[in-house]
Short mmCIF file of all heavy atoms in Angstrom, two decimals:
data_model
loop_
_atom_site.label_atom_id
_atom_site.label_comp_id
_atom_site.label_asym_id
_atom_site.label_seq_id
_atom_site.Cartn_x
_atom_site.Cartn_y
_atom_site.Cartn_z
N VAL L 1 1.51 -7.35 -5.48
CA VAL L 1 2.21 -6.08 -5.40
C VAL L 1 3.71 -6.27 -5.22
O VAL L 1 4.18 -7.29 -4.71
CB VAL L 1 1.68 -5.23 -4.21
CG1 VAL L 1 0.25 -4.80 -4.46
CG2 VAL L 1 1.77 -6.00 -2.88
N GLU L 2 4.44 -5.26 -5.67
CA GLU L 2 5.87 -5.16 -5.38
C GLU L 2 6.02 -4.24 -4.17
O GLU L 2 5.48 -3.13 -4.15
CB GLU L 2 6.62 -4.59 -6.57
CG GLU L 2 8.14 -4.54 -6.37
CD GLU L 2 8.85 -3.99 -7.58
OE1 GLU L 2 8.79 -2.76 -7.78
OE2 GLU L 2 9.45 -4.79 -8.32
N VAL L 3 6.75 -4.72 -3.16
CA VAL L 3 6.82 -4.04 -1.88
C VAL L 3 8.29 -3.84 -1.48
O VAL L 3 9.11 -4.74 -1.65
CB VAL L 3 6.10 -4.86 -0.79
CG1 VAL L 3 6.29 -4.25 0.59
CG2 VAL L 3 4.62 -4.98 -1.11
N ARG L 4 8.59 -2.65 -0.94
CA ARG L 4 9.93 -2.39 -0.41
C ARG L 4 9.88 -2.48 1.12
O ARG L 4 9.05 -1.82 1.76
CB ARG L 4 10.42 -1.01 -0.83
CG ARG L 4 11.89 -0.74 -0.46
CD ARG L 4 12.34 0.61 -0.99
NE ARG L 4 12.24 0.69 -2.44
CZ ARG L 4 13.15 0.22 -3.29
NH1 ARG L 4 14.24 -0.39 -2.83
NH2 ARG L 4 12.97 0.35 -4.59
N ILE L 5 10.72 -3.29 1.70
CA ILE L 5 10.75 -3.47 3.15
C ILE L 5 11.25 -2.18 3.81
O ILE L 5 12.33 -1.68 3.46
CB ILE L 5 11.64 -4.65 3.56
CG1 ILE L 5 11.14 -5.95 2.93
CG2 ILE L 5 11.69 -4.78 5.09
CD1 ILE L 5 9.74 -6.36 3.33
N VAL L 6 10.47 -1.64 4.76
CA VAL L 6 10.88 -0.40 5.44
C VAL L 6 11.19 -0.64 6.92
O VAL L 6 11.89 0.14 7.55
CB VAL L 6 9.80 0.69 5.31
CG1 VAL L 6 9.66 1.11 3.85
CG2 VAL L 6 8.47 0.25 5.87
N LYS L 7 10.66 -1.75 7.47
CA LYS L 7 10.93 -2.06 8.88
C LYS L 7 10.79 -3.55 9.08
O LYS L 7 9.80 -4.16 8.63
CB LYS L 7 9.96 -1.30 9.79
CG LYS L 7 10.31 -1.39 11.27
CD LYS L 7 9.37 -0.50 12.09
CE LYS L 7 9.73 -0.52 13.57
NZ LYS L 7 8.82 0.34 14.37
N TYR L 8 11.76 -4.14 9.75
CA TYR L 8 11.78 -5.59 9.93
C TYR L 8 11.79 -5.95 11.41
O TYR L 8 12.60 -5.44 12.18
CB TYR L 8 13.01 -6.19 9.25
CG TYR L 8 13.14 -7.67 9.44
CD1 TYR L 8 12.32 -8.56 8.76
CD2 TYR L 8 14.09 -8.20 10.33
CE1 TYR L 8 12.45 -9.92 8.94
CE2 TYR L 8 14.21 -9.56 10.52
CZ TYR L 8 13.39 -10.42 9.82
OH TYR L 8 13.50 -11.77 10.01
N MET L 9 10.84 -6.78 11.83
CA MET L 9 10.76 -7.26 13.21
C MET L 9 11.00 -8.77 13.20
O MET L 9 11.14 -9.39 12.15
CB MET L 9 9.40 -6.93 13.81
CG MET L 9 8.91 -5.51 13.55
SD MET L 9 9.88 -4.24 14.34
CE MET L 9 9.27 -4.37 16.02
N LYS L 10 11.00 -9.39 14.39
CA LYS L 10 11.27 -10.83 14.46
C LYS L 10 10.18 -11.67 13.82
O LYS L 10 10.46 -12.70 13.19
CB LYS L 10 11.44 -11.25 15.92
CG LYS L 10 12.76 -10.81 16.54
CD LYS L 10 12.90 -11.38 17.95
CE LYS L 10 14.24 -10.99 18.56
NZ LYS L 10 14.41 -11.54 19.93
N THR L 11 8.92 -11.24 13.97
CA THR L 11 7.81 -12.08 13.52
C THR L 11 7.00 -11.46 12.38
O THR L 11 6.07 -12.07 11.88
CB THR L 11 6.86 -12.39 14.68
OG1 THR L 11 6.42 -11.15 15.28
CG2 THR L 11 7.57 -13.22 15.74
N TYR L 12 7.33 -10.23 11.96
CA TYR L 12 6.62 -9.58 10.86
C TYR L 12 7.43 -8.41 10.35
O TYR L 12 8.44 -8.02 10.97
CB TYR L 12 5.23 -9.11 11.31
CG TYR L 12 5.24 -8.11 12.44
CD1 TYR L 12 5.27 -6.74 12.21
CD2 TYR L 12 5.26 -8.55 13.78
CE1 TYR L 12 5.29 -5.83 13.25
CE2 TYR L 12 5.28 -7.64 14.83
CZ TYR L 12 5.31 -6.29 14.56
OH TYR L 12 5.35 -5.39 15.59
N ALA L 13 6.99 -7.86 9.24
CA ALA L 13 7.68 -6.71 8.65
C ALA L 13 6.66 -5.73 8.09
O ALA L 13 5.50 -6.08 7.86
CB ALA L 13 8.64 -7.17 7.56
N TYR L 14 7.11 -4.48 7.89
CA TYR L 14 6.31 -3.46 7.23
C TYR L 14 6.93 -3.15 5.88
O TYR L 14 8.15 -3.03 5.76
CB TYR L 14 6.26 -2.18 8.06
CG TYR L 14 5.48 -2.31 9.34
CD1 TYR L 14 6.14 -2.47 10.56
CD2 TYR L 14 4.08 -2.28 9.35
CE1 TYR L 14 5.43 -2.60 11.75
CE2 TYR L 14 3.37 -2.40 10.54
CZ TYR L 14 4.05 -2.56 11.72
OH TYR L 14 3.35 -2.69 12.89
N GLY L 15 6.07 -3.00 4.89
CA GLY L 15 6.57 -2.69 3.56
C GLY L 15 5.85 -1.49 2.96
O GLY L 15 4.71 -1.18 3.35
N ARG L 16 6.50 -0.80 2.04
CA ARG L 16 5.89 0.31 1.32
C ARG L 16 5.49 -0.17 -0.08
O ARG L 16 6.28 -0.80 -0.79
CB ARG L 16 6.86 1.47 1.21
CG ARG L 16 6.25 2.70 0.51
CD ARG L 16 7.20 3.88 0.49
NE ARG L 16 8.37 3.65 -0.32
CZ ARG L 16 9.61 3.62 0.15
NH1 ARG L 16 9.83 3.78 1.45
NH2 ARG L 16 10.63 3.39 -0.65
N LEU L 17 4.28 0.13 -0.45
CA LEU L 17 3.79 -0.26 -1.77
C LEU L 17 4.55 0.49 -2.85
O LEU L 17 4.51 1.72 -2.90
CB LEU L 17 2.29 0.03 -1.86
CG LEU L 17 1.63 -0.26 -3.21
CD1 LEU L 17 1.70 -1.75 -3.54
CD2 LEU L 17 0.18 0.22 -3.21
N GLU L 18 5.24 -0.25 -3.71
CA GLU L 18 5.97 0.36 -4.82
C GLU L 18 5.18 0.29 -6.12
O GLU L 18 5.15 1.26 -6.88
CB GLU L 18 7.32 -0.35 -5.01
CG GLU L 18 8.29 -0.17 -3.85
CD GLU L 18 8.83 1.25 -3.78
OE1 GLU L 18 9.02 1.88 -4.84
OE2 GLU L 18 9.04 1.74 -2.65
N LYS L 19 4.54 -0.86 -6.36
CA LYS L 19 3.82 -1.03 -7.62
C LYS L 19 2.76 -2.11 -7.47
O LYS L 19 2.98 -3.13 -6.82
CB LYS L 19 4.82 -1.45 -8.71
CG LYS L 19 4.25 -1.49 -10.12
CD LYS L 19 5.26 -2.04 -11.09
CE LYS L 19 6.52 -1.19 -11.14
NZ LYS L 19 7.48 -1.70 -12.16
N VAL L 20 1.59 -1.86 -8.04
CA VAL L 20 0.54 -2.88 -8.12
C VAL L 20 0.76 -3.65 -9.41
O VAL L 20 0.57 -3.12 -10.51
CB VAL L 20 -0.86 -2.26 -8.08
CG1 VAL L 20 -1.93 -3.36 -8.21
CG2 VAL L 20 -1.08 -1.47 -6.79
N LEU L 21 1.19 -4.90 -9.31
CA LEU L 21 1.48 -5.72 -10.49
C LEU L 21 0.21 -6.29 -11.09
O LEU L 21 0.03 -6.27 -12.32
CB LEU L 21 2.45 -6.84 -10.11
CG LEU L 21 3.78 -6.39 -9.49
CD1 LEU L 21 4.61 -7.60 -9.07
CD2 LEU L 21 4.57 -5.52 -10.49
N GLU L 22 -0.67 -6.80 -10.24
CA GLU L 22 -1.98 -7.30 -10.68
C GLU L 22 -3.02 -6.78 -9.71
O GLU L 22 -3.03 -7.18 -8.54
CB GLU L 22 -2.00 -8.83 -10.71
CG GLU L 22 -1.10 -9.44 -11.75
CD GLU L 22 -1.21 -10.97 -11.76
OE1 GLU L 22 -2.28 -11.49 -11.38
OE2 GLU L 22 -0.23 -11.63 -12.15
N PRO L 23 -3.90 -5.88 -10.14
CA PRO L 23 -4.87 -5.30 -9.21
C PRO L 23 -5.93 -6.29 -8.78
O PRO L 23 -6.33 -7.18 -9.55
CB PRO L 23 -5.48 -4.14 -10.00
CG PRO L 23 -5.28 -4.50 -11.43
CD PRO L 23 -4.00 -5.28 -11.49
N SER L 24 -6.38 -6.13 -7.57
CA SER L 24 -7.46 -6.95 -7.03
C SER L 24 -8.76 -6.63 -7.76
O SER L 24 -8.99 -5.50 -8.20
CB SER L 24 -7.62 -6.64 -5.53
OG SER L 24 -8.85 -7.11 -5.05
N PRO L 25 -9.68 -7.61 -7.88
CA PRO L 25 -11.01 -7.32 -8.44
C PRO L 25 -11.81 -6.37 -7.55
O PRO L 25 -12.81 -5.82 -7.99
CB PRO L 25 -11.67 -8.70 -8.51
CG PRO L 25 -10.91 -9.56 -7.56
CD PRO L 25 -9.51 -9.04 -7.57
N PHE L 26 -11.34 -6.15 -6.31
CA PHE L 26 -12.04 -5.26 -5.39
C PHE L 26 -11.43 -3.85 -5.39
O PHE L 26 -11.89 -2.98 -4.66
CB PHE L 26 -12.00 -5.82 -3.97
CG PHE L 26 -12.40 -7.27 -3.89
CD1 PHE L 26 -11.51 -8.23 -3.46
CD2 PHE L 26 -13.67 -7.66 -4.27
CE1 PHE L 26 -11.88 -9.56 -3.40
CE2 PHE L 26 -14.05 -8.99 -4.21
CZ PHE L 26 -13.16 -9.94 -3.78
N ARG L 27 -10.39 -3.63 -6.19
CA ARG L 27 -9.75 -2.32 -6.26
C ARG L 27 -10.56 -1.39 -7.15
O ARG L 27 -11.00 -1.78 -8.24
CB ARG L 27 -8.32 -2.45 -6.76
CG ARG L 27 -7.58 -1.13 -6.90
CD ARG L 27 -6.11 -1.34 -7.24
NE ARG L 27 -5.33 -1.74 -6.07
CZ ARG L 27 -4.85 -0.91 -5.17
NH1 ARG L 27 -5.08 0.39 -5.27
NH2 ARG L 27 -4.14 -1.37 -4.16
N VAL L 28 -10.77 -0.15 -6.69
CA VAL L 28 -11.48 0.87 -7.46
C VAL L 28 -10.61 2.11 -7.56
O VAL L 28 -9.65 2.28 -6.81
CB VAL L 28 -12.84 1.23 -6.81
CG1 VAL L 28 -13.77 0.02 -6.78
CG2 VAL L 28 -12.65 1.79 -5.40
N GLU L 29 -10.96 2.99 -8.50
CA GLU L 29 -10.21 4.24 -8.67
C GLU L 29 -10.70 5.26 -7.66
O GLU L 29 -11.86 5.67 -7.68
CB GLU L 29 -10.41 4.79 -10.08
CG GLU L 29 -9.55 6.00 -10.40
CD GLU L 29 -8.06 5.69 -10.35
OE1 GLU L 29 -7.65 4.55 -10.68
OE2 GLU L 29 -7.28 6.61 -9.98
N PRO L 30 -9.85 5.71 -6.73
CA PRO L 30 -10.28 6.68 -5.72
C PRO L 30 -10.62 8.03 -6.34
O PRO L 30 -10.03 8.43 -7.34
CB PRO L 30 -9.06 6.80 -4.80
CG PRO L 30 -8.23 5.59 -5.08
CD PRO L 30 -8.47 5.26 -6.52
N LYS L 31 -11.58 8.73 -5.73
CA LYS L 31 -11.94 10.06 -6.18
C LYS L 31 -10.85 11.08 -5.85
O LYS L 31 -10.64 12.04 -6.59
CB LYS L 31 -13.26 10.50 -5.55
CG LYS L 31 -14.51 9.84 -6.13
CD LYS L 31 -15.75 10.38 -5.44
CE LYS L 31 -17.03 9.80 -6.02
NZ LYS L 31 -17.34 10.37 -7.35
N CYS L 32 -10.18 10.87 -4.71
CA CYS L 32 -9.21 11.84 -4.22
C CYS L 32 -7.80 11.48 -4.68
O CYS L 32 -7.34 10.34 -4.51
CB CYS L 32 -9.24 11.91 -2.69
SG CYS L 32 -8.05 13.08 -2.00
N ALA L 33 -7.10 12.46 -5.25
CA ALA L 33 -5.73 12.23 -5.72
C ALA L 33 -4.74 12.09 -4.57
O ALA L 33 -3.62 11.61 -4.75
CB ALA L 33 -5.30 13.39 -6.62
N PHE L 34 -5.15 12.48 -3.36
CA PHE L 34 -4.24 12.47 -2.21
C PHE L 34 -4.55 11.32 -1.24
O PHE L 34 -4.09 11.35 -0.10
CB PHE L 34 -4.33 13.80 -1.45
CG PHE L 34 -3.99 14.99 -2.29
CD1 PHE L 34 -4.99 15.78 -2.84
CD2 PHE L 34 -2.67 15.34 -2.54
CE1 PHE L 34 -4.69 16.88 -3.61
CE2 PHE L 34 -2.35 16.44 -3.30
CZ PHE L 34 -3.37 17.22 -3.85
N HIS L 35 -5.32 10.34 -1.67
CA HIS L 35 -5.79 9.33 -0.72
C HIS L 35 -4.66 8.54 -0.08
O HIS L 35 -4.77 8.09 1.05
CB HIS L 35 -6.78 8.38 -1.40
CG HIS L 35 -6.14 7.35 -2.28
ND1 HIS L 35 -5.67 7.64 -3.55
CD2 HIS L 35 -5.86 6.04 -2.07
CE1 HIS L 35 -5.15 6.55 -4.09
NE2 HIS L 35 -5.25 5.57 -3.21
N ARG L 36 -3.53 8.35 -0.79
CA ARG L 36 -2.42 7.59 -0.22
C ARG L 36 -1.63 8.41 0.79
O ARG L 36 -1.21 7.90 1.82
CB ARG L 36 -1.49 7.09 -1.32
CG ARG L 36 -2.05 5.93 -2.11
CD ARG L 36 -1.01 5.34 -3.05
NE ARG L 36 0.13 4.78 -2.32
CZ ARG L 36 1.15 4.15 -2.92
NH1 ARG L 36 1.17 4.01 -4.23
NH2 ARG L 36 2.16 3.67 -2.20
N GLN L 37 -1.45 9.71 0.53
CA GLN L 37 -0.68 10.55 1.45
C GLN L 37 -1.48 10.94 2.68
O GLN L 37 -0.94 11.01 3.79
CB GLN L 37 -0.22 11.83 0.74
CG GLN L 37 0.66 11.59 -0.47
CD GLN L 37 -0.13 11.75 -1.76
OE1 GLN L 37 -1.14 11.08 -1.96
NE2 GLN L 37 0.34 12.63 -2.63
N CYS L 38 -2.75 11.22 2.50
CA CYS L 38 -3.59 11.72 3.59
C CYS L 38 -3.84 10.62 4.61
O CYS L 38 -4.00 9.46 4.26
CB CYS L 38 -4.91 12.24 3.03
SG CYS L 38 -6.07 12.81 4.28
N GLY L 39 -3.89 11.00 5.87
CA GLY L 39 -4.13 10.01 6.92
C GLY L 39 -5.59 9.70 7.13
O GLY L 39 -5.94 8.92 8.03
N GLY L 40 -6.50 10.27 6.32
CA GLY L 40 -7.93 10.13 6.58
C GLY L 40 -8.58 8.93 5.94
O GLY L 40 -9.22 8.12 6.62
N CYS L 41 -8.45 8.78 4.63
CA CYS L 41 -9.19 7.74 3.89
C CYS L 41 -8.31 6.53 3.61
O CYS L 41 -7.73 6.41 2.53
CB CYS L 41 -9.73 8.31 2.58
SG CYS L 41 -11.05 9.50 2.80
N GLN L 42 -8.23 5.61 4.55
CA GLN L 42 -7.35 4.46 4.38
C GLN L 42 -7.90 3.43 3.39
O GLN L 42 -7.15 2.61 2.86
CB GLN L 42 -7.13 3.77 5.74
CG GLN L 42 -6.60 4.67 6.83
CD GLN L 42 -7.69 5.29 7.68
OE1 GLN L 42 -8.85 5.39 7.26
NE2 GLN L 42 -7.34 5.71 8.89
N LEU L 43 -9.21 3.46 3.12
CA LEU L 43 -9.85 2.39 2.33
C LEU L 43 -10.45 2.89 1.02
O LEU L 43 -11.23 2.18 0.40
CB LEU L 43 -10.95 1.72 3.16
CG LEU L 43 -10.54 1.07 4.48
CD1 LEU L 43 -11.75 0.49 5.18
CD2 LEU L 43 -9.49 -0.01 4.26
N GLN L 44 -10.09 4.08 0.56
CA GLN L 44 -10.79 4.64 -0.59
C GLN L 44 -10.56 3.84 -1.88
O GLN L 44 -11.37 3.91 -2.80
CB GLN L 44 -10.39 6.10 -0.80
CG GLN L 44 -11.42 6.87 -1.60
CD GLN L 44 -11.11 8.35 -1.73
OE1 GLN L 44 -11.09 8.87 -2.83
NE2 GLN L 44 -10.87 9.02 -0.62
#
C-alpha cells in the first residue's frame, strides 16, 4: 500500500491508506460502501 503519515511517534507511526498497490490474497470486496468511514466494521 501507499500510505500518508498522519502521526509520528518515537517508536511507531500512524498512516492513512491512500492506495492499494497490490491487494492481498485475503482482501475481499465489502458489501457496505461505507465500511472505511464507519466505526463499526473494521474487518469487512
Side-chain angles (χ1 to χ4, degrees):
V1 293
E2 184 179 75
V3 174
R4 187 176 300 278
I5 301 299
V6 294
K7 189 175 183 180
Y8 177 74
M9 314 294 282
K10 286 186 178 180
T11 56
Y12 60 92
Y14 291 101
R16 182 176 67 243
L17 177 63
E18 294 289 326
K19 187 186 299 183
V20 178
L21 302 176
E22 293 182 27
S24 164
F26 311 117
R27 178 173 283 277
V28 297
E29 186 63 32
K31 285 181 178 286
C32 179
F34 301 99
H35 77 283
R36 286 189 63 177
Q37 300 102 304
C38 177
C41 290
Q42 305 93 338
L43 301 179
Q44 202 175 127

